[in-house]
Amino acid sequence: MQKLFIFDVDDVIYELKKTIRAALADVTGKDIHPDLWHSFNLNEVYGVDIKDIFEAFHKHDILRTGELNTEIFPVVEYLRKNNIETMAVTARGWHTEANAITAALFADNNLGIDRIHVVEHHEKKSDYISQIKGFEIVGYIDDNARHIKETREVCGGNIKNYFLKDQPWNKSYELESGVTRLQNLADVPKSLEIYLGSENVVGSRKTKKFHP
């Protein structure tokens, strides 16, 4: 069965901490260092309404002003060489142009990721990922501990490796069995080696249509 690896985008592939910090400082008047973001829910950290958070995000166009994590290139190359297809699943559905912005980000930087899905505002990542059929999902990486937890609840062992990308807002998350905390995106290949084992052989890639 064709293998697949799933990436989150924001603060995994595309770093947003700096641009979000500047945006929220402008809108809220509070400059809080990301190291002090104890929760993924920034309205709790800044003590403001969630609408103020999204106002800042739109005003500063954060989806276009972040920084690409260049560690993604050797990771995608490693997966490609080992006949593992790639998918990005991102919860950017709060932005009406999320699909176009994300597609442009990937194309402009030649990321080489096979497919993208933007989770709509009413949709849950875990529900979408659970619908993926016809693949052996060898890994899924995200910085949001809630997404990892929810996906494990519905997918369980159907995803072979769960990776939590280390960020200030997930420091307090107690890792469950089967979840590995990674300090760097570049650690993915080394972490997959144990699972792939003797199957980790460079081979040709085949294109497979995805039907959720």
Side-chain angles (χ1 to χ4, degrees):
M1 184 178 291
Q2 176 63 53
K3 294 180 173 63
L4 177 71
F5 191 94
I6 300 173
F7 295 91
D8 175 39
V9 176
D10 296 324
D11 290 308
V12 174
I13 294 175
Y14 194 57
E15 293 292 336
L16 291 180
K17 292 192 289 291
K18 290 181 181 178
T19 190
I20 288 177
R21 178 184 180 182
L24 293 178
D26 175 46
V27 172
T28 70
K30 301 177 182 179
D31 185 14
I32 303 176
H33 195 281
D35 286 349
L36 301 177
W37 293 355
H38 57 80
S39 170
F40 188 85
N41 299 316
L42 291 176
N43 54 307
E44 297 176 3
V45 176
Y46 282 79
V48 298
D49 193 272
I50 190 65
K51 67 179 180 60
D52 297 315
I53 300 295
F54 286 118
E55 176 189 338
F57 286 1
H58 283 285
K59 180 179 179 181
H60 286 261
D61 203 12
I62 67 162
L63 297 188
R64 291 188 177 95
T65 54
E67 297 178 359
L68 185 69
N69 182 349
T70 57
E71 292 179 2
I72 187 61
F73 293 110
V75 174
V76 171
E77 181 62 18
Y78 167 86
L79 296 172
R80 177 182 292 112
K81 285 181 177 179
N82 287 284
N83 198 31
I84 301 172
E85 293 196 19
T86 50
M87 173 185 287
V89 180
T90 174
R92 291 179 160 197
W94 56 269
H95 196 296
T96 57
E97 298 178 44
N99 282 285
I101 293 171
T102 307
L105 168 69
F106 281 37
D108 292 348
N109 290 282
N110 297 311
L111 294 190
I113 290 177
D114 296 305
R115 50 183 60 82
I116 306 166
H117 178 76
V118 175
V119 177
E120 298 300 330
H121 204 51
H122 62 276
E123 189 181 18
K124 293 177 68 174
K125 268 191 179 182
S126 57
D127 289 342
Y128 176 77
I129 292 173
S130 69
Q131 296 176 37
I132 297 174
K133 308 298 181 185
F135 289 94
E136 176 187 353
I137 304 178
V138 298
Y140 163 44
I141 185 168
D142 206 309
D143 67 296
N144 188 330
R146 178 175 61 82
H147 289 159
I148 292 286
K149 181 179 177 61
E150 291 176 349
T151 303
R152 286 188 76 248
E153 288 174 351
V154 296
C155 294
N158 290 331
I159 296 179
K160 306 306 179 183
N161 298 276
Y162 294 85
F163 300 114
L164 182 67
K165 173 64 173 64
D166 188 70
Q167 293 289 3
W169 47 87
N170 61 44
K171 293 289 188 184
S172 62
Y173 178 68
E174 295 185 9
L175 295 182
E176 300 164 294
S177 175
V179 180
T180 303
R181 182 183 294 273
L182 296 184
Q183 296 296 320
N184 303 294
L185 182 59
D187 294 333
V188 166
K190 182 178 179 181
S191 299
L192 281 179
E193 287 289 341
I194 298 174
Y195 170 72
L196 294 175
S198 61
E199 293 183 356
N200 184 27
V201 179
V202 174
S204 60
R205 302 180 79 231
K206 296 180 180 179
T207 302
K208 180 182 182 71
K209 289 187 177 180
F210 169 67
H211 300 285

